Amino acid sequence: MTKDTDGYIPLQNQNGGQHSSGDSQGDPTNRIIALNNKPAAKDTDIEMSERNGRVKSLSTANESCVDASSDEGTSGGMDMGKYLSVDWGKHKSKYRVAQYMRRRKSNFNMSFNTVADSDDYHFCSKLYHTKRKTFPLKDYHDEARAMRDLQKFLEHPIVLFKIHNTSWEDIVKEMIVTLATEKSELKLDVNKCIKSLISKDADYLIPESIQGIRETVSGPFTDQTFITAIGTTTAVNDSQVVMALLEKPFNFGVGAEEIRFICIVLTPPKKKHTKSCIEIGRTYSTLLADDRLRHSLINTHTPAEFAHEFEMEVHRIHKEHEKRERETKTDTSRYSDSNKPYRCIPGRLLLKDIKRRAKFYLADYVEDLNNCTSIQKMVSATLFLYFSLLLPGIAFGVLHDYYTDRKMDSKNVIVSQAIAGVLFSMFGGQPLVVVRTTIPVVIYTKIIYQISLRWAKDGSFFYTLYSMVGLSNSFFLILYALVGASNIMMFCSRSTEEIVGLFISVAFVVDSVKYIVKEFNTFYCFPDLLNTNSTLNSSIVKRAAAETSLNPADCDPTKPMLALLLMLITVYVGVQIFNFKYSPYLNADKRVIVADYALVVAVISASVLGSYVFKSIHLKQFTVNDEAPLFRLVDYKSPPPGAVITSVGLGFLMSFLFFMEGNISASVVNNPQNKLKKGSAFHLDMFVTGVINAVLSVFALPWVHGSLPHSPLHVRALADIEEHVENGHLTETIVYVRETRLTTFFSNIMIGLSLFMFPYPLNLIPIPVLYGLFLFLAFTSLGEFQMWERFVLIFTEQNLYPPIHYVRKVPQKIIHCFTLLQLVQLIGLCLVSFGGSAYLKMFFPFCIIMLLPIREKILPKIISERFLEALDGEH
């Protein structure tokens, strides 16, 4: 939290003294700025070259900033050594001094003596002094006076609600007049109060104010959502507080460009320290620094609701105060128990998770239902989950159908998703985690099918082996939950999560490329060239046809070309609509709603093109086996001993995959930046996942686990997000997330009802559109990975690097070295997963869990721990 104190200093005599060097020398927290006598153009940064350096000058709104230096030089007959600057850093546009002088109607070619005789002898008429000081947030537990100040305000709260004035002077005047009206017994001198809050020399300046400092990935910056103006005046005998909520964010100048909340604190000039305007200002600024409270206050509709939310926050603080006192009294008993030896009791951590989440279970269903905004968010998130799970589920079904020789198809995936999704939404520990079938599960199912052919060439043993592997996997998952194995995730850093997430994106791309290459190999040929009677025939064409096994009856070059076109259209339309949330059109809420339906619009658009516009070209559509039962009870009659041992080994290896993917998804959801209030439940989530997959295995349905990127996207769909711009870098802050089970419950119910849409109309979706959907999911998830951001920096000009924290703290070579090491690990995962041997692919889950010791034991020997903390510490 910072306090700004502003004051004026007269200019030193030009002939008898020297200019101050301002920011160029001395303490950077004390800065002298000269105010121009005439308003200059807004947001202009003026630069010119000297003999030995560069001279810059800035004009913003009604101020122009200059420094002085001992360097002297001439330009155009002018002694330009007298005109120096403050380097403001974030202003990109640069104009020549000639343009500035032309704008001021000055002759740039006149000599310095001529300038001295003119009215523009000085750039400025006054000096403006700013001093910045930081304060800690108010501790309501240790500082008793703070609670009394808050309770005093609540006795007679004065709140101006959603005012429309945009001038600081008008807002202050309205707030003081309201104070004088509401508390007429004070007989306030309104003018005196206003003068203590507005500079008498320049009404756009705030003499003293308090704001918050926020830590972000680009470093600390001022929280420009609120400002607390403080002042002392003899017009009051006791402290007075007025609060205002503006209708829209307003720009009150540098450092206060997005203000929604204004708090005015007035105190008598002579008061003890605890009753001073600074201490009282700290009390209210600490409250307003809580973005959760600001979110609640913005959603109020009347001043009475505003005061009620404020009162509820004070009561919450009071309860925390009492809780801390009770905990302090029991500290001695805790210390006496700390010397007892630790005993590993199976299920102890699982029971803790159950107890932690049980008290919120009912709230997970009914909380936030009394808020129209929350209901709208839930509906939007439910529809987003429905389409983002249904369409990829169909695509995964197509892969299952291809890899298992039609033993599994899209209908099985949909049934599995509906059952697992509903069960996890009801009994899972963290309901914001989304469970589904993923690409690694599809790859592992392919491995199981290939191995099952050893015992039955017709694939009839696949269901039995698949079920036994699934039951073995479930056994190990439940075992991990009972012994608390998820605690190992404390060693899982951001880099490990990103490697796994990027691998999933790469898998999407690989499968899409394989499909389109197969289409070209099959259909991209010309019957005339393959016809032996054709005059165009040649031995080269014959040999090429023989090598690729081309069939003249299959030749249709329009099919692969249309497949490629539909795939690219799906990606392009989806990405463009997804990025609509960054456009300037509509308002922020509506842009997010439009972006949420990017996937749906892209699939529908490409499907209409493929099924109706180009209906003369018959593309392959996904099919399902209508004769196969939805639930197939697996027959376990006397499996070979070798198959039992193989299933246990495969289940053990696959449990690593489920363990890592599920815990990584839960870890991303429970990230502190998401500000979740109900706590995590890693062990309970793992236990429920094991039980669900055991049920699915009995009926030979596709397995599920917590997944990326759907889980973090689900969180963002239910979140309220604030956007701030600092130093040209856009930062997003989550202020509130609705922790509900309703979105996953209803979305999976809708997915189950979609079974009635098989085969029509879902079979109107061409298969290339589904693979385009894979590419869309891969490309849109790249922006969430810091590893991808650093990979792009390798090919980016150094001067264009964004102002991110690790760019300032870590040398460039170390950044690139760390990125390349991550890339090597990612390539290793891809080689194992996409290699030709099924037995090599079996060890893919083991490779994922090996990422943990690589990060903890090997990387610190290559890169300093200090740099690793900056690159990988934020989690």
Side-chain angles (χ1 to χ4, degrees), residues 300-314:
T300 57
H301 300 89
T302 63
E305 289 185 18
F306 186 100
H308 176 71
E309 287 291 339
F310 203 87
E311 184 177 6
M312 294 299 294
E313 181 68 15
V314 174

Side-chain angles (χ1 to χ4, degrees), residues 593-604:
I593 292 175
V594 172
D596 285 343
Y597 298 101
L599 182 147
V600 183
V601 175
V603 171
I604 292 177

Side-chain angles (χ1 to χ4, degrees), residues 660-708:
M660 289 296 294
E661 291 255 11
N663 278 311
I664 287 175
S665 300
S667 177
V668 173
V669 168
N670 291 294
N671 192 308
Q673 294 180 354
N674 293 333
K675 298 182 175 62
L676 303 184
K677 301 179 295 183
K678 300 177 182 178
S680 60
F682 289 93
H683 313 288
L684 178 57
D685 287 342
M686 190 60 56
F687 180 83
V688 173
T689 302
V691 173
I692 290 174
N693 281 287
V695 175
L696 298 178
S697 299
V698 171
F699 297 100
L701 292 173
W703 302 308
V704 299
H705 58 73
S707 66
L708 299 171

Side-chain angles (χ1 to χ4, degrees), residues 158 160 168-199 231-237 240 242 264 266:
I158 300 177
L160 279 73
W168 175 253
E169 182 180 11
D170 293 339
I171 293 174
V172 169
K173 185 175 181 179
E174 184 176 352
M175 295 177 71
I176 297 300
V177 169
T178 304
L179 174 64
T181 304
E182 294 286 334
K183 296 185 176 182
S184 56
E185 69 277 6
L186 297 178
K187 298 180 180 180
L188 291 178
D189 186 337
V190 174
N191 291 330
K192 273 189 176 182
C193 294
I194 293 176
K195 287 181 180 178
S196 67
L197 299 168
I198 299 177
S199 172
T232 57
T233 176
T234 56
V236 296
N237 296 321
Q240 302 297 329
V242 188
I264 289 179
L266 293 174

Side-chain angles (χ1 to χ4, degrees), residues 570-585:
T570 304
V571 176
Y572 179 79
V573 174
V575 170
Q576 290 299 315
I577 299 177
F578 180 81
N579 291 331
F580 184 76
K581 58 187 176 182
Y582 304 116
S583 70
Y585 306 110

Side-chain angles (χ1 to χ4, degrees), residues 94 132 199 503 829 841 872:
K94 297 183 182 299
R132 299 181 184 272
S199 172
F503 168 78
L829 281 181
K841 295 178 182 179
D872 201 26

